[in-house]
Each structure stands twice: as structure tokens, then as C-alpha cells.
Amino acid sequence: MCIFKIKRFIMANLYRKIRKTNLFFMAKQDKSLFEYLSSLPPTVRGDTPSVVYKDEILFCGGTAKDCYSYHTSRNEYKFICSYPGDVELCGHCVVKLTDDNNFNGITLLSFGGFVKHTLTMRYISVWDDTIEKPKSDNQWLPFTDKHKKQVFIGVKEDNYGKACALIGGSNNNLLFITYFPKNIAVFDLNTFGYVNRSTLSINDVITEHYFIAKSSDHKKISEMLLFHKNIGLAIEYDEEKNTFQFQKLRECKTIGLAYACVRVNGSVLFFGGDNNFGVGKSTDIYKYSIIENEWMKFENNLPSSLKYCGAILSEDKSFVHVTGSNSHIHVKTKVELWMHEKTERERQWIAIEEEKTLIEQMNAKDQQFKLDMLKKKILEIEIIVRYWNRLASIKIGWLDDFNVIISQYILGHIDYVKNVKFSSDGTKIISTSEDRTVRIWDVMSGNEIQLFDRHQDEVNDAQFSPTGNMVVSCSKDKTIRLWEVKSGREIKKLQGHEASVTSAQFSPDEKNVISSSADNKIILWNVSSGKEIKRLIGHGNKINSVQFSSDCQILVSASDDNNIKIWNVQSGECVCTLKGHSNIVFGAHLSSEGNKIVSCSKDSKVRIWDAKSTKMIKTLFVTDVRGAKFSPDGQTIVSCSSDKIIRLWDIEFGMITQTLEGHLNNVTGIDFSPDGNTIASCSIDKTIRLWGSL
């Protein structure tokens, strides 16, 4: 009976959540998100095959076989031509071919349908009257090979009704075709023959489906995505081996069919369709994250319900044009409006869908699966009980001490404090600020010990040397400076970066300094000579942090390119790139033992990685997170956010153990004392605060 009690509990909890958020499931239409454009011509349907060419969208073959060009700047349509009278159009494909000889336009290929045809058109813009157009252009003509012999795509036994196709391959010479019942074929446009015919690894037959190219770093590997109803499939084709690989994507339980979709960067946007699988039209808009393998339903909706519609990305990738068959509607929306971080209601939708999935799994016919789920739930309960017992057993120590809230706060900087770090003996802290100064403070008294003020712009980062005799600081003035702590004297100025230096750190043996910059470079410096040793280049955008491992063998860096990189210090080569964040990575920090990495990002996620296997271990959700670090024992993470809150997390359970509140503005930096008993934090409120036992 336990399994049914758990099931009833989950369903009751889900029902409460649905009631709580029922307003979210009502259409929220913000018409300012969409701009209404001129209606489609009467003979053009919303799902008519279309191709983008410069400032034009070419609609090829509607209800009367007519083809039109829509000019995105003029907001007007112009007739191009009609298909030949003997051609029947129903479920055909149109793709843009690579044609280096056609400098004034593009070449289109039209094929497929329930009654097959294969035609080509050399298109020259109908909007440009300055170009003389040969009679053969802007007309559909038979597709021929180099010997003028007519070529047909699609053998007799294949059903190409509502087939989908895209161009790929290392030389853009391969035509990938997906078609009923669940087939995929590869046609070589150079040899004019099929090179592969395979069966898709999918349970359902594909009728209304969508085939999208996915960006690939490997020229010989073509990556694609297929969506049919609420299921998706990742497809890889190895050109050298002539083989396919398939991987199922996460399902979306609520999306229906007859929608339109378009890939934008690392996501796929879905518009309209039929969320009741056969009845009605939808105003829904969904997003599938390729990196996260996650679905999301947007809080906002289409201005009009659409089914059998189209979605076309403008050539500059800044707008999506959405067309619908009802009333021949044509609207456009800015891409950037749909790339925002999830709202609270959108997060709730994701959570509810996950619970629905769990319920469906528990309703599965396989009894063994039910038993496995029960064991998993029991294990989770045991873990929670152990967790609370652990907290209850802590009578003394630093966790209890943090309940004092604030032991001390330090005033002195006259502008926002950017970073704060402890000395290796824990008796001093160093801080940097937009006031262009670096300051050293005594932890016990809170008094200022030393002031360094020779930087010419805001100071981003500073750190004590392992022995505590020196300080390294870096600034927006593009310099790194070495200071003697006792005298306050500047020892050396290191110059070589071409933009703001974002972080600087001594190596554990104190022989070198490593720095990162907004110039996308990491530089290794010799402390004695002050000379550059080597440059590490590989990030595609501003680098926000870099850190040595305790054995001086590796470096970990974080960047605005959404990635974390691990480097070999001796060779200067990138060993591995950690991908998972969907926005700027503010920082990446190694645990003291060097076996884990914690990273934080503008995507409101803190991620924990295994440094050796480079696999992601855990994800923590933190609103507006700005920093995250391990405690010295590696069991706790402290994070700080723009919401003024500092959070302590138990790594094993991924739970918040405490929240520290007191800052009056964004918390910008945090650090643990070497013994783990004190936390230092700094803020835009110009203060440094110490938390814990002193």
C-alpha cells in the first residue's frame, strides 16, 4: 500500500500547485510582443513552404500554386511565378541550394509531396528592377544534372507526402529527407543518388513533423533535430562512416501537433498548434533548450490562436515571422524577447510537468519499475532523515555561530566594494573597490592596516600571497600590481593585457601570478622578473575568473562565453571545456582538495562539477547569483546574490542550511576564512561584513 500512499500524496500536492497557479494556465497575451504585418496573399497558407533570402521571405506554392516574395522592410508582397500546371502540390518541400555561380540570387529546389515532383528555380529578387532577369530565371524548371538529364528525388515506393528536408554535409552537398512512416534518407546533390536510407529510432509514425538543423563543430558530422507531436529526436550523421545515431529528447506532455517551430541559437521556439491533439487551435508558445534538454511553456501567448502555421527566422536572426492560415495572419516578434530568464510562473510550470511525469511513471504497467520507484522514495526519505539528524546534532561550531548574523561590519571604502579575501592565517582581509583602492583590514579590530591607491581605475580583484608578505591586485586600468604588505610599497607593475583585468592570483608556490581579462586572454607571469611567461587563449569572450589548483598543475577559468575551461599550466593547452550554463559564468572555484569545481552563472544556477571526470554532479538554483565558493572542508558552499542574501548549502543534499541577511544592497563578493569559522562578504552598500565566531 506504500506505493499508493506516495502516489496519492504526490497527486494531492500537484493538485494544490495547479490550483495555486491556475492563472498561469489562462492565456496571457501581451500584444506588444508582436507586430502585425500585411496579411498573407489569399492563395498563400500559413504553412506554405518558405525560404529566407536577404530582406525577403519567399512563399513557394500555396492553394493556387502561386509563389510570392514578402519584403521585410517594405511590408509588401509581390508575385514571383506559379508552378507548372501539371504539378500537384500537397506536402512538398522547398530548400535553398548552395550555388556559387548564381551571384545575383539563389537557387531553390522543390520536391516531394503526395504526388512527387522535382523542380528548381534560379531566383533573382523581384524587388530589384536594376538587374536584367533571363527568361529562365524566376521560373520552376526540371531539375537536371551536369549532362542536362532530368533528375527525380524520391523513388516510387517512398511516401513523400509532408516530408521534411534540409541541406547539410561538409560541402553542403547532402540533402537529408525525413518521411512517412519513420524514415530518413540522404541524397547526394553532387552524384544525384541516394547514399543512405535508414529507419528513425522512434516509436510513432511521423506525419506532421519538423526537421531542424543543429549547429555542429565537426564538419564531417551533421547534427539535426526532429520533432513530432510531443516527442523529439536528436540525429547525428557521420559522413565518413555513412552511419546515423539517434537519441531521444525529453518529452513535452502538453504540446500537441500542427505547430510551427524555429531554432534560435541553443533553443527551439514553438508557436501555436493544437494542444488537444485534434480539436481547436492554440495560442501557446514553448521553448526547448537544446543544452539543458528542458521544455518550458512561456507565460505570454500568441495574439491569435494558430494551427497549421509557419515560423521563419529573419536572415539577421533578430526577428521570427509567424504566419497562420486563419485570416492569413502575419506577425513578427523580436528574438530577444523570448531569450529571457524564466519567470516564477514558468518555473512552476516546469516543476508541475516534472511531477506529472513522475505520476505517469508510477502508473506504468511494469511492477518492477514501481518497486524501483518505491525504493528510490524510501532512500530519499532516509537521506532527509539523516540530513535533519545531522543538523540537530550540531550543538556548537561554525554553523551555530552564524546565527549571530553579523559579528562585525567594516566601513572605509567610499564606493562599491567588489571583492574580499582572507589572508592564509585568517588574521587579515583584503578588499577592492570601485574607489580605485585596495585596503587591508585587521579581522579582530576591523581597523584598516594598509592602503594601496596607485591604480588609475576601479580595482576588480586582490589577493594575499601564500606567505602573506605580498599582495597582487588587478584593475580596469589594464594593469596588475604587486605590493609589499608591510611597507605598502609597489614592487612591480605587470602590463600586457589589452582590456580590464578581472582576476589575479598567486600560484601556491608564490613563483608565478595568473591573470584573466576582458581581452579574452589568460596570462601567466613570473613574480621575480615581472615578465610574461605564456598566454592561454581559447575563450570566446571576456574571462571573469581564473584559479590555480593547489599543486600548481591546472587552472580553472570562467567566461562570458558561458563556458568553464580547465588548462594544463605547463603546456598552456585547454584540457577540457565544461558546458552546461546557458549564460555568463561569473566564476569557477576549485575545492581545497581539487576534486570539485563550483561555478555560478547569470542563468541563476550554481553547478558542482567533478574535476576529474568533468561531469556535472549537482545544480542549485539561486536567484541573481553573483559568487559561489567551497568551505575549506569542501562540505559546504557559500553563495551571494543581487537579492542581498548570502546562502550556505550542504553539498551532499543540495539544501540551504542558512541564509545570512544584513547587507543593504547587492552582495558582490564572499570568502571563507581558512578555518571555516568566519565568512567575509562585501557589497554595493560599501561595507564589508564578517559573519561567525570571532
Side-chain angles (χ1 to χ4, degrees), residues 38 50 53 76 110 123 196 230 237 284 289 303 318-319 341 400 450 601 603 608 634:
S38 296
S50 58
Y53 171 59
E76 295 177 9
S110 176
Y123 174 74
N196 193 311
N230 61 340
Y237 175 72
D284 293 341
S289 170
S318 58
F319 288 92
E341 296 180 14
D400 240 14
Q450 195 60 268
S601 167
D603 63 10
I608 305 169

Side-chain angles (χ1 to χ4, degrees), residues 15 59 64 153 203 234 237 264 319 342 346 373 530 540 601 659:
Y15 177 69
F59 295 94
I153 298 175
N203 294 328
Y237 175 72
V264 180
F319 288 92
K342 302 180 188 74
E346 289 163 354
M373 289 295 295
S601 167
T659 58

Side-chain angles (χ1 to χ4, degrees), residues 386-396:
R386 282 196 289 117
Y387 169 72
W388 288 113
N389 285 340
R390 176 184 170 185
L391 289 186
S393 67
I394 299 174
K395 301 300 182 184
I396 57 173

Side-chain angles (χ1 to χ4, degrees), residues 541-569:
N541 211 324
K542 173 187 173 186
I543 306 170
N544 296 309
S545 75
V546 64
Q547 182 196 0
F548 274 106
S549 61
S550 57
D551 60 5
C552 301
Q553 298 300 306
I554 67 169
L555 298 169
V556 176
S557 60
S559 169
D560 276 12
D561 64 10
N562 304 357
N563 295 328
I564 301 145
K565 288 185 181 288
I566 300 175
W567 309 80
N568 182 292
V569 175

Side-chain angles (χ1 to χ4, degrees), residues 592-629:
S592 57
E593 295 180 353
N595 60 339
K596 293 187 184 72
I597 297 168
V598 63
S599 60
C600 61
S601 167
K602 195 176 180 181
D603 63 10
S604 293
K605 293 184 180 72
V606 172
R607 297 187 186 272
I608 305 169
W609 312 77
D610 186 293
K612 292 184 179 179
S613 68
T614 68
K615 291 183 179 179
M616 194 189 305
I617 302 171
K618 203 173 255 83
T619 300
L620 313 175
F621 293 91
V622 191
T623 304
D624 298 325
V625 64
R626 300 297 299 184
K629 286 188 177 179

Side-chain angles (χ1 to χ4, degrees), residues 166-224:
L166 55 87
I167 300 290
S170 57
N171 296 314
N172 285 320
N173 63 307
L174 300 180
L175 179 67
F176 296 94
I177 310 165
T178 52
Y179 57 98
F180 182 88
K182 42 184 174 182
N183 299 323
I184 184 167
V186 186
F187 185 88
D188 192 323
L189 294 166
N190 289 340
T191 63
F192 304 101
Y194 285 93
V195 295
N196 193 311
R197 294 168 184 267
S198 297
T199 302
L200 295 165
S201 178
I202 192 169
N203 294 328
D204 201 1
V205 296
I206 54 172
T207 50
E208 300 286 346
H209 72 283
Y210 306 87
F211 195 29
I212 300 171
K214 179 185 171 187
S215 58
S216 176
D217 296 330
H218 197 300
K219 291 184 178 181
K220 295 291 185 180
I221 304 292
S222 296
E223 297 183 61
M224 299 153 277

Side-chain angles (χ1 to χ4, degrees), residues 424 464-471 482 505-513 525-528 548 552:
S424 58
F464 289 101
S465 64
T467 59
N469 298 322
M470 288 189 293
V471 161
L482 302 179
Q505 183 197 27
F506 282 103
S507 60
D509 60 11
E510 213 163 301
K511 293 179 181 179
N512 300 316
V513 163
W525 311 82
N526 180 274
V527 171
S528 297
F548 274 106
C552 301

Side-chain angles (χ1 to χ4, degrees), residues 311-342:
I312 311 105
L313 185 65
S314 63
E315 190 160 270
D316 62 3
K317 296 179 173 55
S318 58
F319 288 92
V320 175
H321 289 254
V322 182
T323 56
S325 296
N326 52 318
S327 305
H328 297 275
I329 189 173
H330 183 179
V331 296
K332 72 176 181 180
T333 182
K334 288 183 179 179
V335 168
E336 63 184 27
L337 298 176
W338 307 97
M339 296 296 113
H340 63 74
E341 296 180 14
K342 302 180 188 74

